[in-house]
Amino acid sequence: MSTSAGAPGTGLALANPWAMVPPLGNLDAYISAVNRLPLLSPEEEQDCARKLRDHNDLEAAGRLVLSHLRLVVSVSRKYLGYGLPHGDLIQEGNIGLMKAVKRFDPDQGVRLVSYALHWIRAEIHEYILRNWRMVKVATTKAQRKLFFNLRSMKQGFKDEADAPTHRDTLTDAQIEVMARELNVKREEVIEMETRMAGGDVLLDPAPNDDGEEGFGPIAYLTDMSHEPTAVLESQQRDQLATDGIAAALEQLDPRSRRIVEQRWLRVNDDGSGGMTLHELAAEYGVSAERIRQIEAAAMKKMKKALSAYA
């Protein structure tokens, strides 16, 4: 399908207006493409907005959205400091832009760019608050304002300070200024700075360069004590360690049973093990090698009994 675009300032003449925009997976190509898209003149913008409002003209809606995609890219760059993918920020901002286009009234007397800014920022703000941390860091309107202004105000304090003497943390005076200007408690400023200063840790990290699984908190935070398979395995081990061994010992003759019990199942009060091969050899009047042979045969018989028991 062939597509064509008018020269800048003349609008877009596309059967499919989205055909000129590459997918967000190739971020550089996407940004380059949207920056080349022509802008609409005020008259063209009014005409498209009225077609959308009065006739639900989707092509007109597409022209309005396309001509403002560069605005979303520009706004999203201001939020890169939160550690979230730029492509995701742009995508969320585009959702805000489409909401703005849908609600835009051409008779309000303002340009779409001014009206859309609020919607783009609001959508990006919501995305950051949902995904920046598992625990919400801003639940009230004042806290949300603090969350999105603390970083820029702190940078302003940095710019005012001399680099050699600048501290990374806020001073008491700076905390007071921030609390007063944002109309929040100084304790809230301190708490928010502490939360934002802490680094995020992936619970389940991606494989490393060698292709091996990375080690993260998920490895030691997972509670396996109530996992059904682990519970069954634990019960089976306990059963084998008690009833199973007792049943296996019943399969042995008295001498073999005593040798196994003295060698493997007896623990002295001082923590030491049972009798040695030489001690048992002296007791039964045979060589230590003979005791070892009896022990090996007994263990083989017990292993077979335990297998049948399990």
Side-chain angles (χ1 to χ4, degrees):
M1 179 179 65
S2 62
T3 61
S4 61
T10 62
L12 302 175
L14 299 175
N16 176 12
W18 297 99
M20 291 182 64
V21 183
L24 258 173
N26 188 340
L27 189 58
D28 291 337
Y30 174 87
I31 294 175
S32 177
V34 300
N35 284 333
R36 291 196 305 268
L37 290 173
L39 298 174
L40 296 178
S41 67
E43 294 76 18
E44 289 171 327
E45 183 179 292
Q46 287 280 312
D47 181 60
C48 288
R50 286 191 170 88
K51 286 181 179 179
L52 174 60
R53 183 192 63 185
D54 300 337
H55 306 291
N56 196 30
D57 190 327
L58 297 184
E59 183 177 346
R63 293 180 64 190
L64 290 170
V65 172
L66 284 170
S67 64
H68 289 80
L69 289 179
R70 69 181 69 194
L71 173 64
V72 176
V73 172
S74 176
V75 173
S76 65
R77 285 197 180 101
K78 300 176 182 178
Y79 298 93
L80 291 177
Y82 293 98
L84 296 170
H86 193 191
D88 290 352
L89 293 172
I90 292 175
Q91 182 167 291
E92 295 299 321
N94 286 344
I95 293 174
L97 172 61
M98 287 186 281
K99 289 181 178 179
V101 167
K102 182 179 180 180
R103 293 166 173 80
F104 181 60
D105 184 355
D107 295 329
Q108 287 180 330
V110 298
R111 294 294 303 271
L112 177 57
V113 62
S114 301
Y115 182 76
L117 272 174
H118 164 76
W119 291 93
I120 295 169
R121 288 171 179 161
E123 207 68 31
I124 292 177
H125 285 186
E126 287 299 324
Y127 169 72
I128 293 173
L129 290 175
R130 288 196 311 268
N131 297 278
W132 196 62
R133 287 179 184 272
M134 290 190 300
V135 180
K136 298 265 186 190
V137 296
T139 54
T140 67
K141 185 176 181 180
Q143 288 176 335
R144 289 162 66 94
K145 184 178 180 181
L146 173 60
F147 179 85
F148 287 107
N149 284 277
L150 187 144
R151 190 184 298 272
S152 59
M153 292 185 70
K154 191 173 179 181
Q155 183 61 47
F157 292 142
K158 283 185 179 182
D159 296 339
E160 295 172 2
D162 293 331
T165 60
H166 171 65
R167 293 169 32 177
D168 289 334
T169 57
L170 293 172
T171 64
D172 289 339
Q174 291 169 344
I175 291 173
E176 291 293 344
V177 170
M178 193 173 293
R180 183 172 62 253
E181 292 187 7
L182 298 178
N183 194 28
V184 295
K185 298 177 181 178
R186 65 186 312 277
E187 292 79 9
E188 291 179 309
V189 175
I190 296 172
E191 180 185 5
M192 188 65 70
E193 185 199 16
T194 302
R195 290 188 180 188
M196 294 182 69
D200 289 335
V201 177
L202 287 174
L203 288 178
D204 192 7
N208 55 33
D209 295 337
D210 297 330
E212 299 179 355
E213 291 295 327
F215 181 81
I218 196 67
Y220 54 82
L221 289 178
T222 305
D223 180 12
M224 299 296 293
S225 58
H226 299 290
E227 198 272 326
T229 303
V231 171
L232 288 174
E233 290 177 351
S234 177
Q235 291 175 347
Q236 290 178 349
R237 284 195 301 269
D238 292 342
Q239 193 172 20
L240 283 175
T242 54
D243 299 343
I245 291 179
L249 287 171
E250 290 294 334
Q251 304 297 316
L252 304 179
D253 61 83
R255 184 175 64 172
S256 298
R257 178 172 181 172
R258 174 170 167 73
I259 290 173
V260 171
E261 289 177 338
Q262 291 296 326
R263 291 277 293 150
W264 297 100
L265 302 178
R266 177 182 171 185
V267 179
N268 296 324
D269 294 337
D270 59 0
S272 61
M275 301 175 67
T276 66
L277 291 174
H278 292 284
E279 289 173 338
L280 288 168
E283 179 180 330
Y284 287 104
V286 295
S287 66
E289 176 59 21
R290 179 56 184 157
I291 296 295
R292 189 196 64 76
Q293 293 172 355
I294 295 173
E295 177 190 36
M299 296 295 285
K300 184 176 180 180
K301 192 172 184 180
M302 286 185 65
K303 183 177 180 180
K304 183 177 180 181
L306 286 171
S307 298
Y309 186 87

